[in-house]
Amino acid sequence: METLKYLLPEDRIPEAWYNIVPDLPRAPAPVLHPGTRQPVTPDDLLPLFPMGLIAQEASAEPWIEIPGEVREVYRQWRPSPLYRARRWEKALDTPAHIYYKYEGVSPAGSHKPNTAVPQAWYNKQEGTKRLATETGAGQWGSSLAMACAFFGLECKVFMVRVSYDQKPYRRALMEAYGAAVSPSPSTETESGRGILAAHPESTGSLGIAISEAVEVAAKDPETRYSLGSVLNHVLLHQTVVGLEALEQMEMAGEYPDVIVGCTGGGSNFSGLSFPFIGRKLQGKGNPRVVAVEPAACPSLTKGRFAYDFGDTAHLTPLVKMYTLGSTFVPPGFHAGGLRYHGMAPLVSHLLDLGLIEAIAVQQLDSFAAGVEFARAEGILPAPEANHAVAGVLREALRAKEEGVGRTILFNLCGHGHFDMQAYIDYNAGKLKNYEYPAEEIALALAGLPAGVT
Amino acid sequence: METLKYLLPEDRIPEAWYNIVPDLPRAPAPVLHPGTRQPVTPDDLLPLFPMGLIAQEASAEPWIEIPGEVREVYRQWRPSPLYRARRWEKALDTPAHIYYKYEGVSPAGSHKPNTAVPQAWYNKQEGTKRLATETGAGQWGSSLAMACAFFGLECKVFMVRVSYDQKPYRRALMEAYGAAVSPSPSTETESGRGILAAHPESTGSLGIAISEAVEVAAKDPETRYSLGSVLNHVLLHQTVVGLEALEQMEMAGEYPDVIVGCTGGGSNFSGLSFPFIGRKLQGKGNPRVVAVEPAACPSLTKGRFAYDFGDTAHLTPLVKMYTLGSTFVPPGFHAGGLRYHGMAPLVSHLLDLGLIEAIAVQQLDSFAAGVEFARAEGILPAPEANHAVAGVLREALRAKEEGVGRTILFNLCGHGHFDMQAYIDYNAGKLKNYEYPAEEIALALAGLPAGVT
């Protein structure tokens, strides 16, 4: 029989997360305090994050030990399987070998619990009673809600209004886990009230929801803030994905020529690729690494590499990243997890260093690829993951055209069970592609903070 | 670290299904031709099923080899994990050890692909072009749709109207896999038109949908029929669940004192329990085996053990089973997969032999148990599986009351990702318990076929 699945035993869950920063040829730009424009200190961040996570955010250590209790929870779904997509390869008639790491096996259905669990754990250790966060499509909110339930923390989620209204099922999952969920912009925060005063019909954005959650955390000493992507410590936690994949590719007896992941804030892409890029920096292997983003929110392919705020109300520190401008509200395409104006500073830095590539794909192409994948492999990807699938499809068809065998590895970061309305709309011909929103982006970029480069 | 998860390597996927029939102290009653009232012959069944499955239906062999191509597809999610529910045990403060076999890891999210895949495969071998089937909540329909996509068969699904309207997400999954889905009763069949003429507002039932699918298969030589539960060969295919669990309990160093499964048609319950009951019949181990059914559709606890039709329009053979009468339409509770008037003949026979027990639980108790389980274990069960969880909860609390350690094993047959409307309604206080529908059942039982016992 041909091998479909590469499984690691439980004791091969990584014992440490991999921090790519010390391996980089040039250090990333520092995070700046929004008032002083000076590098932030740990004390600046303490109202928002526990010291355990702040230390990781700035760490120069290449390996950071995973706490035992976190590994114990990880063991419920980790090591996640690595699949060879043999049926899809056959359907495509491609000489490429396609492998995917499948993170939909977590109870919340995506890679997000990889960081939700340690974030909840470190907060619990330092006495946090409640975590506040934002969520777009709901993958992150449901993952944090679950992690909070495991460790006995309260959880408050600001859910982007358009998703809150259109995706009641993700909200129901968060509520089943015991979280309190509000649509954002809400009347519960100054940030939310400000947005609603200016735009009473606002459908929200991740940038706005972040402002609300940060504000709640900053004002209540028992509440801290939790972010599902973008930050260094979040990307760090996701490296369990790539560390496992390294071993699993070894089991398969192959090494990737191309690594593909979708990018919204950057966490699933980084989780898979950083361990491979780290090896590349050490002279081991030389895969191309391709980030796939939505054409309607193209921070990496059309954004500017500049200091910007992580949120719309400008409550966060300034980070240097590829950004479309913090006031840019992406159009309402279905991959809600990719509707973010910026990109993780580390991912941005890697693009700037030429260590990764980026492409943008249109919504209809992403769904067409996802449906073909589902019919071959059984797993229906989340709309976010469809972008990665579409990127892989391009690579696989190019390999076929060129008649060249090629090993492609991608991160299937979540299933689409909670996103079926998107598939209903796609099937009914109601989804569309989006023009590049050039004017809105130009306007938002004109508002970038001045005087910092 | 405490062990949470027991995984078997890929080469421990069972090589044969276990057929309990030859181990039984008394043979089950024969299936009768609805016209002649004589035992059916293989030729009688050939318009509906391929010979490979008909042979299994009547087999006296204890072990039936699983075809290589079926095992190859199984390997995508099998062996499925066995979990120890340590966090739930702790939350319940029970001395019981609770184990669950988790079948939600299949791409369709339930145990149903265990039989959908071999059914599609045997049909493909014998030249079937299309499969027709029924589905309630959609677990079965989506599983068969996926299996048909894998083997290049067309798939036609009659979906119980109430679910078709209320659960568009399962329908969307079937359509993503390429199936054609119609609400049942439909105008596409004589059975459907007959029902609609008498009851224009009919919300449908599994019994009606079965009639429609059987009719379509009987009339088209290129179409065969496929059933997701009840029949011997379906229960047979599910025994991979219990065979794996036997090995995994051995890894855990325990043997179940109690085995629990929910029952609608009986397939997930049988899949887990038959291998253990087989051992019991051979003098190995003596677990209690508890079937948990919904109080609103209580075939095992309130039905009659009698010959009845499997469908409403009386197109199927007569089978001896616990039944509420083939014209009984269960009330619209959310566990659509349990809304069947009858029970698998083999499960019925085992109850008659005293080899299993049965209890009924109310809808609100089942959801309360499911939500508590989700907060502890992360996995949100399907409404059907909540019945098993509620049954386990009783056993675990009884163990606590009695101060007795006890090993409980149950089948968590699917996740609830496609059933979130049920959780929304539960959370909003909109779900209710159901009175035992005594009059409707009495009426339906009065219509049982006469002259056969």
Side-chain angles (χ1 to χ4, degrees), chain A residues 2 4-5 10 72 75-76 78 83 87 169 172-173 175-177 375 377-378 415 417 420 424, chain B residues 2 4-5 10 72 75-76 78 83 87 169 172-173 175-177 375 377-378 415 417 420 424:
Chain A
E2 295 177 319
L4 286 179
K5 186 173 66 175
E10 207 165 274
E72 186 143 335
R75 282 187 308 146
Q76 190 174 358
R78 306 215 69 84
Y83 286 109
R87 294 192 296 261
Y169 285 16
L173 182 61
E175 289 171 349
Y177 289 138
R375 290 184 187 180
E377 297 292 315
H415 61 59
H417 300 171
M420 295 311 296
I424 293 173
Chain B
E2 295 178 321
L4 286 179
K5 185 172 68 174
E10 207 165 271
E72 186 144 333
R75 280 185 309 143
Q76 191 174 359
R78 306 216 68 83
Y83 286 108
R87 293 192 296 259
Y169 285 16
L173 181 61
E175 289 171 348
Y177 289 139
R375 291 183 186 180
E377 296 292 317
H415 61 59
H417 300 172
M420 296 309 298
I424 293 173

Side-chain angles (χ1 to χ4, degrees), chain A residues 9-82:
Chain A
E10 207 165 274
D11 61 8
R12 297 307 302 151
I13 293 174
E15 292 179 13
W17 293 298
Y18 168 62
N19 179 14
I20 198 171
V21 174
D23 282 331
L24 292 176
R26 197 170 76 227
V31 174
L32 303 181
H33 189 286
T36 65
R37 306 281 163 111
Q38 295 301 309
V40 290
T41 64
D43 280 355
D44 292 335
L45 298 172
L46 207 49
L48 295 184
F49 302 106
M51 199 46 85
L53 295 176
I54 293 171
Q56 292 176 2
E57 192 62 23
S59 175
E61 294 299 318
W63 296 98
I64 294 174
E65 192 185 343
I66 304 175
E69 283 185 84
V70 171
R71 288 184 85 224
E72 186 143 335
V73 178
Y74 275 176
R75 282 187 308 146
Q76 190 174 358
W77 69 90
R78 306 215 69 84
S80 69
L82 176 81

Side-chain angles (χ1 to χ4, degrees), chain A residues 182-267:
Chain A
S182 298
S184 166
S186 79
T187 56
E188 297 168 37
T189 65
E190 278 180 41
S191 317
R193 288 189 293 270
I195 296 280
L196 286 172
H199 308 281
E201 304 298 314
S202 171
T203 54
S205 72
L206 277 171
I208 296 168
I210 291 172
S211 296
E212 295 208 84
V214 166
E215 182 183 326
V216 164
K219 287 186 175 168
D220 175 3
E222 296 203 319
T223 300
R224 280 201 175 94
Y225 172 65
S226 180
L227 186 64
S229 191
V230 178
L231 298 178
N232 295 359
H233 70 269
V234 180
L235 277 45
L236 174 82
H237 298 157
Q238 292 294 352
T239 58
V240 289
V241 177
L243 293 169
E244 290 173 6
L246 263 172
E247 283 205 46
Q248 289 165 312
M249 289 302 302
E250 201 174 317
M251 289 168 77
E254 302 209 60
Y255 200 81
D257 299 305
V258 190
I259 295 172
V260 178
C262 64
T263 44
S267 77

Side-chain angles (χ1 to χ4, degrees), chain A residues 31-379:
Chain A
V31 174
L32 303 181
H33 189 286
T36 65
R37 306 281 163 111
Q38 295 301 309
V40 290
T41 64
D43 280 355
D44 292 335
L45 298 172
L46 207 49
L48 295 184
F49 302 106
M51 199 46 85
L53 295 176
I54 293 171
Q56 292 176 2
E57 192 62 23
S59 175
E61 294 299 318
W63 296 98
I64 294 174
E65 192 185 343
I66 304 175
E69 283 185 84
V70 171
R71 288 184 85 224
E72 186 143 335
V73 178
Y74 275 176
R75 282 187 308 146
Q76 190 174 358
W77 69 90
R78 306 215 69 84
S80 69
L82 176 81
Y83 286 109
R84 169 93 181 264
R86 290 192 186 267
R87 294 192 296 261
W88 194 34
E89 289 172 14
K90 203 171 155 192
L92 295 175
D93 188 26
T94 175
H97 292 187
I98 304 174
Y99 292 86
Y100 57 101
K101 184 76 169 161
Y102 183 42
E103 291 294 312
V105 293
S106 81
S110 78
H111 66 296
K112 294 293 189 188
N114 296 332
T115 184
V117 169
Q119 288 194 48
W121 186 84
Y122 282 105
N123 272 286
K124 182 72 178 178
Q125 302 316 301
E126 299 185 31
T128 306
K129 298 279 183 253
R130 185 171 75 144
L131 283 175
T133 196
E134 73 294 323
T135 199
Q139 285 194 347
W140 167 243
S142 53
S143 299
L144 190 67
M146 181 185 82
C148 285
F150 289 171
F151 294 113
L153 295 170
E154 291 173 50
C155 184
K156 170 75 190 177
V157 183
F158 291 93
M159 186 173 188
V160 175
R161 174 110 234 170
V162 61
S163 295
Y164 184 91
D165 291 337
Q166 288 178 359
K167 303 198 168 178
Y169 285 16
R170 273 281 180 196
R171 170 160 50 99
L173 182 61
M174 293 183 248
E175 289 171 349
Y177 289 138
V181 186
S182 298
S184 166
S186 79
T187 56
E188 297 168 37
T189 65
E190 278 180 41
S191 317
R193 288 189 293 270
I195 296 280
L196 286 172
H199 308 281
E201 304 298 314
S202 171
T203 54
S205 72
L206 277 171
I208 296 168
I210 291 172
S211 296
E212 295 208 84
V214 166
E215 182 183 326
V216 164
K219 287 186 175 168
D220 175 3
E222 296 203 319
T223 300
R224 280 201 175 94
Y225 172 65
S226 180
L227 186 64
S229 191
V230 178
L231 298 178
N232 295 359
H233 70 269
V234 180
L235 277 45
L236 174 82
H237 298 157
Q238 292 294 352
T239 58
V240 289
V241 177
L243 293 169
E244 290 173 6
L246 263 172
E247 283 205 46
Q248 289 165 312
M249 289 302 302
E250 201 174 317
M251 289 168 77
E254 302 209 60
Y255 200 81
D257 299 305
V258 190
I259 295 172
V260 178
C262 64
T263 44
S267 77
N268 95 75
F269 169 80
S270 305
L272 178 64
S273 66
F274 280 10
F276 288 90
I277 297 173
R279 281 174 56 91
K280 187 172 174 168
L281 291 166
Q282 293 154 10
K284 299 174 197 154
N286 190 25
R288 288 171 49 225
V289 181
V290 183
V292 188
E293 61 183 11
C297 191
S299 54
L300 287 173
T301 54
K302 302 270 192 177
R304 192 174 301 166
F305 189 43
Y307 270 102
D308 197 3
F309 289 96
D311 71 322
T312 304
H314 297 178
L315 302 178
T316 70
L318 289 168
V319 293
K320 190 163 185 187
M321 61 180 174
Y322 279 91
T323 178
L324 301 166
S326 64
T327 58
F328 172 63
V329 176
F333 58 86
H334 264 291
L338 309 185
R339 292 179 66 243
Y340 184 59
H341 67 274
M343 180 52 60
L346 272 178
V347 173
S348 300
H349 186 58
L350 290 181
L351 182 64
D352 192 50
L353 288 171
L355 288 168
I356 63 172
E357 307 166 25
I359 61 170
V361 302
Q362 278 287 4
Q363 174 157 270
L364 290 178
D365 292 336
S366 74
F367 274 88
V371 166
E372 287 311 308
F373 180 84
R375 290 184 187 180
E377 297 292 315
I379 300 166

Side-chain angles (χ1 to χ4, degrees), chain B residues 78-97:
Chain B
R78 306 216 68 83
S80 68
L82 176 81
Y83 286 108
R84 170 94 181 264
R86 289 192 187 265
R87 293 192 296 259
W88 194 33
E89 288 172 14
K90 202 171 156 194
L92 295 174
D93 188 27
T94 175
H97 292 186

